[in-house]
Amino acid sequence: MAERMLGIQYSTLAQERETVTLGMWAFLATEVLFFGALIAAYLNYRIWFGAEFIAAAKMTKVVLGTINTAVLLTSSACMAMAVSTRDGGGRRAPVLWLIATALLGLMFIVIKGYEYSLEYQEQLVPALNFDVARHGGVAEIFFMFYFCATGLHALHLLIGICLVSWLAFAIGTDRLRPGSTTRLIGLYWHFVDIVWIFLFPLIYLAGRNG
Amino acid sequence: MSGRLILRCWLALVVLLALTTASAFVPLGSANLFISLGIAFAKALIVLLFFMELKTSAALVRVFAAAGFFWLMIMIALTSADYTHRTDQPVPLDRTAG
């Protein structure tokens, strides 16, 4: 029984856990550079354009951004609870925590979509309807960064929501053998949270007191 | 990881979020950026150490986690070294050519 639960290339569950964890972190390191390039671009725009760039950041919706940060931080705590209760061997508790995680992720996407619609109305979307005469060219560069960064983040979150929903289904219907799957998807989810932790002050908090 | 520890981490994260948002509205010049980034690092550390379990992970896993951050610092440092040393002076040709 114990042998059947394990991947063929592993000799113990502990070895499997160590190997897949390391693989996940190697993938996350490449993701750090992926989002890191955007953040490096932001920092240099900010040095290069100074006050004009910061003034553009003031047009983002700080209340919605703060609510969304709280939503995402809470979803990460739910994910951690799912991993913790799954370790305890339960099925019902991790499924409920995973559903909570996915719903909070979905809530983030809905709020983000509402934010995008407000920005569309204010003609702040580059390539679609950006009003350069009204907002200025530097603001267009800021919003180009804004939509690239938050869009790619939202895409990662959508993938996370799919993974978490599948996981809840697989655990709920007992199709998942004991192992590290929950923990791995948890690592991915927390990583997406960390990306937002850095995007939030750069996008929403710049220029709030000027 | 116990439920109690997760709850404490979540509370710390929410308090730090409130702090960083509040601090953004206090005029402190360029210190604002450093405070908000400092708090972002504190929040990221809580997530990394506890939610992502780096605190109890094998040394090799921690090295992998640190490596991503290390390469990121190289990328940001070298890119910034370039941009901060460029000058924005247009050459005379630019002014006459148009």
Side-chain angles (χ1 to χ4, degrees), chain A residues 66-79:
Chain A
T66 307
I67 292 171
N68 249 354
T69 311
V71 167
L72 212 54
L73 292 174
T74 309
S75 80
S76 253
C78 290
M79 188 73 222

Side-chain angles (χ1 to χ4, degrees), chain A residues 7-92:
Chain A
I8 196 167
Q9 66 273 44
Y10 305 111
S11 48
T12 61
L13 262 181
Q15 188 202 10
E16 183 193 58
R17 177 173 160 184
E18 203 182 316
T19 310
V20 296
T21 305
L22 196 63
M24 192 56 172
W25 274 105
F27 166 66
L28 292 183
T30 67
E31 289 275 87
V32 167
L33 294 182
F34 181 75
F35 282 102
L38 279 166
I39 289 176
Y42 171 93
L43 290 174
N44 287 297
Y45 283 147
R46 195 165 162 161
I47 294 166
W48 197 245
F49 296 116
E52 259 184 289
F53 193 69
I54 294 169
K58 219 176 163 179
M59 286 188 272
T60 55
K61 319 285 174 260
V62 69
V63 176
L64 292 175
T66 307
I67 292 171
N68 249 354
T69 311
V71 167
L72 212 54
L73 292 174
T74 309
S75 80
S76 253
C78 290
M79 188 73 222
M81 282 306 295
V83 173
S84 167
T85 51
R86 178 75 176 152
D87 276 347
R91 260 177 52 196
R92 197 180 147 77

Side-chain angles (χ1 to χ4, degrees), chain A residues 1-7 13 174 176-178:
Chain A
M1 182 67 189
E3 286 136 272
R4 274 193 22 230
M5 294 197 295
L6 207 57
L13 262 181
D174 209 10
L176 199 69
R177 63 183 177 82

Side-chain angles (χ1 to χ4, degrees), chain B residues 43-60:
Chain B
K43 281 154 81 184
L45 266 183
I46 292 174
V47 175
L48 284 165
L49 289 179
F50 300 104
F51 289 175
M52 297 175 92
E53 301 177 320
L54 278 183
K55 197 165 185 280
T56 51
S57 287
L60 190 58

